[in-house]
Amino acid sequence: MNPADRDPAARRRLFGFLAALAILWPLFRMAEVKPGALFDAANLKVIGHFLGAFLPPETGAEFLAYLARATLETLAIASAGMALAGLLAVPLAYLASAAGREKPALNPLTRSLLTVLRGIPELVWALLFVRVFGLGPAAGVLALGLTYGGMLAKVYAEILESADAAPARALRLNGASRPLAILYGLLPQVAKELVSYTVYRWECAIRASVVMGFVGAGGLGQLMDQAMKMLNGGEAASILLTFMLLVFAADGLSGWLRRALDRPPAKRASPFGWRSLGLLVALPGVVLASFYFLGIGFGELFSLEAARSIGEFVAGFLSPDLSAEWLGKVAKGSLETLAISLVGTLFAAIGGLLLALPPWRAPFSFLLNSLRSVPELVWATITALAVGLGPFAGALALALHTTGVLGRLYAEALANVPAAPGRALRLCGVPGSLAFLYGTLPGAAPQLIAYTLYRWEMNIRMAAILGFVGAGGLGQLLYFELSLFHHAQASTVIVAMLLLSIAVDQASAWLRQRMR
Amino acid sequence: MSLALAGVGLTYANGFAALDGISLRADQGECIALIGPSGAGKTSLLSLLATAMAPSVGEVAVLAATPAGLGAAALKKLRRRIGTVYQAPPIPGRQRVVTAVLAGRLGQWPLWQGIASLFYPLDVPGARRVLARVDLADKLFARCDELSGGQLQRVGIARVLYQQADLILADEPVSALDPALALATVRLLVDEAKSRGATLVASLHAVDLALSCFSRIVGIKAGQIAFDRPAGEVSEAMLSELYASEGQELPMLATEPRFSPPAVATDVVTRTAC
């Protein structure tokens, strides 16, 4: 072969493939992937029995009253937490983002604050706040506010950076200040994305506040925890149905908002129609009502006594256990957590893509939404029944929930890809599958990869807490040590979680850069 | 017979009649230029020939087949033989030039070959050959989003050359190229069609380019055929009539008459331009 005809990228591709294989294989072993366990007779019997009890769902008046109250509480925790998160996120995103700056400057201080906020999973924050402020929704709201504030800020900053920078640059060159350049040059491009991400996060916040109940921060989670502990299938089914209802409602709301943003503005000076005005009134109303309903007194949170107990608590964490033996345990837990997150995300990417492809969407959207509406931690309680306690249960739980998330994002990304390349190929007789591979997929690939990697960043945090219900990894260590009040050991685990999530963020950013 | 349209009309869903009463026949190996003001229906006519759309009334036959009556498999077989050059090349930016060109034969390749070629391009020499003809051999392994608009347009042409279609359709194939390159590229398309006996139908914005390179000129105005003549018989009056709505000047390859290459300037055009 003519040496000039050799593909110069081939060697790199092969090397990348082999490297991925070399890294993934041991992690697969570590996650104890054993599909056989799914079909183990004893496991099948347990899960079958449990799922059998799902029918009929519990509909007793007393239980429904509890359920309604818990649902409201969950919604209120999510809304109040999101309000707090938004309050944090907007200024932080503005500071951290390179968007609208004339020289690409990153603000290292803000960025590292964001990393710490996001790096510690909300459930760990909640667990800590429960110790300081006692059982109740306040801990949940604060935990949500901090973690989601960090996440929203980071994603807002990146969405702003991903938009075409030319309009904002032109404005700045004409003397506009940075905030105005962002408002006029960038916001119109990304408003839809920002809104849909925020609504999506609110939806995640609902799921997260469900999970908060597992550590005693109120809401649906507490009910679910009780139902699962007593293997009460009927109640679990009612609660799961409620999750789904909530997520579908949030979905509808998100769609409505996005459509509203798509509509051309009214032909008069003020671009605000009845919809925008309604939202402007409704949003603060909902937030205020949430705080009122939860009865959080902010005076107590910022009292001298609270400050003292925070101080004492934090002091207990200042001297992490760094003995070789404990570090070894934590290192093993970290690797297991990493393995769970990678395997779970990988399975989900494959499953999500397969479910995103079929052109007739309705049944698949329903399936994806159902998978997504159940939080990972709840899935983990179920997969632990199906395949036994251990990391594989965690990986499966992550995969199930993440399939729902990624499948939906993939489907949207694929629908938004320019149709011309694929159509042009079909017009010269190319079969649909090849037209997809050559015409559609390359257009969507950067987004698919970015979504998957972002999701991996979230999953590493989630994998760290799946251990709370016995699905292996760092969470198991943390839960155990905290319940024994071993603050020094717990502190080591939290530091490990933080470092692990930072490492994964870096790896993911590097991969995204490479695969652009 | 390569293509035959009989009393074809095309009305869009919004009620706009893009084509009305078009009848056109061409033998295999003919080279036809479609000219006319923008919005006249050139692109609509090409999409009918590309089987992208079906006519509202009348009959379209392409390469001795009636696309309207074909099943999915037969339609696919027919489409393999039709290659289209688009004004904006429908190529994903992240695709490499070599892949974009090889995609021209995906209709002929079996599925496994198409998939394997994503991992290692299976016909690098073939892709290089056609790229060399549009002067882009050095961009073989570049990514399409690294190319200029004109280079990308030539990649689109290379893809159709690689496809070796029996009917080549071109919708403003050289709109992003400078005059000299535009002339060379249109000649390349015509030579390709002649050497393989393929039929070529190209819509062109530049009248002089159409007159100098094509033997048969079809003028289209307001969705109807205004004239259909050999290039030598197209008169200045016919052109002025065709472009009456576009002001005084006829659209030319080189806007400044002084620089219009003499090879391009046929009598009619030189006179109208001066």
Side-chain angles (χ1 to χ4, degrees), chain B residues 157-219:
Chain B
I157 290 168
R159 176 195 272 195
V160 171
L161 295 183
Y162 188 69
Q163 188 188 346
Q164 303 215 298
D166 294 328
L167 170 61
I168 302 176
L169 304 171
D171 188 4
E172 302 274 3
V174 293
S175 57
L177 304 183
D178 66 64
L181 204 49
L183 177 63
T185 308
V186 170
R187 283 199 174 143
L188 172 69
L189 276 175
V190 173
D191 289 346
E192 165 78 8
K194 287 208 168 122
S195 69
R196 287 196 305 101
T199 310
L200 170 66
V201 183
S203 77
L204 288 170
H205 186 67
V207 175
D208 46 354
L209 199 53
L211 290 176
S212 65
C213 297
F214 288 79
S215 48
R216 183 175 167 193
I217 311 289
V218 173

Side-chain angles (χ1 to χ4, degrees), chain A residues 1-2 4-10 13 420-435 437-443 445-446 449 515-516, chain B residues 50-52 76 79-80 82 86 90-92 94-96 99 103-104 106-107 109-111 113-115 117-121 124-125 128 140-141 143 159 163:
Chain A
M1 185 168 28
N2 179 355
D5 282 347
R6 217 167 281 149
D7 185 350
R13 284 186 186 181
R423 200 175 47 222
L425 286 172
R426 273 192 294 277
L427 280 180
C428 45
V430 175
S433 51
L434 282 181
L437 286 176
Y438 277 76
T440 312
L441 195 59
I449 291 172
M515 292 178 151
R516 190 168 287 176
Chain B
T51 74
K76 226 173 245 180
R79 283 174 167 180
R80 267 175 217 170
I82 306 174
Y86 295 84
I91 296 174
R94 291 182 81 256
Q95 203 158 53
R96 293 192 303 168
T99 317
L106 285 179
W109 284 356
L111 185 64
Q113 201 175 350
I115 291 173
S117 189
L118 282 175
F119 294 95
Y120 192 97
V124 178
R128 184 190 290 284
L140 186 60
F141 295 114
R143 248 169 61 164
R159 176 195 272 195
Q163 188 188 346

Side-chain angles (χ1 to χ4, degrees), chain A residues 172-223:
Chain A
R172 295 228 54 187
L173 289 179
N174 289 349
S177 62
R178 184 169 171 242
L180 285 181
I182 291 179
L183 282 177
Y184 277 78
L186 295 180
L187 217 54
Q189 299 181 56
V190 297
K192 217 172 109 174
E193 217 177 328
L194 289 177
V195 168
S196 59
Y197 187 78
T198 310
V199 178
Y200 160 69
R201 268 286 141 197
W202 174 67
E203 205 185 292
C204 295
I206 293 177
R207 267 193 307 275
S209 51
V210 162
V211 170
M212 298 289 175
F214 279 83
V215 296
L220 278 171
Q222 225 144 335
L223 277 188

Side-chain angles (χ1 to χ4, degrees), chain A residues 302-378:
Chain A
F302 299 107
S303 69
L304 208 65
E305 198 188 342
R308 201 169 48 81
S309 70
I310 292 175
E312 272 174 25
F313 188 70
V314 169
F317 280 88
L318 280 183
S319 50
D321 180 355
L322 296 177
S323 66
E325 188 198 357
W326 184 241
L327 281 183
K329 262 190 178 170
V330 171
K332 185 172 171 291
S334 301
L335 272 180
E336 205 169 272
T337 299
L338 183 66
I340 293 172
S341 76
L342 258 175
V343 171
T345 311
L346 216 59
F347 281 173
I350 297 167
L353 191 62
L354 289 180
L355 290 176
L357 288 180
W360 56 97
R361 294 300 315 150
F364 292 97
S365 310
F366 181 78
L367 176 60
L368 290 172
N369 281 335
S370 309
L371 286 173
R372 192 163 58 92
S373 62
V374 179
E376 296 93 333
L377 211 62
V378 178

Side-chain angles (χ1 to χ4, degrees), chain A residues 127 131 326 329 467-468 474-486 489-490:
Chain A
L127 203 59
R131 312 240 146 188
W326 184 241
K329 262 190 178 170
F468 285 18
L474 285 174
Q476 215 152 339
L477 291 178
L478 181 67
Y479 200 68
F480 188 66
E481 298 303 328
L482 268 183
S483 47
L484 295 178
F485 295 97
H486 289 166
Q489 280 75 14

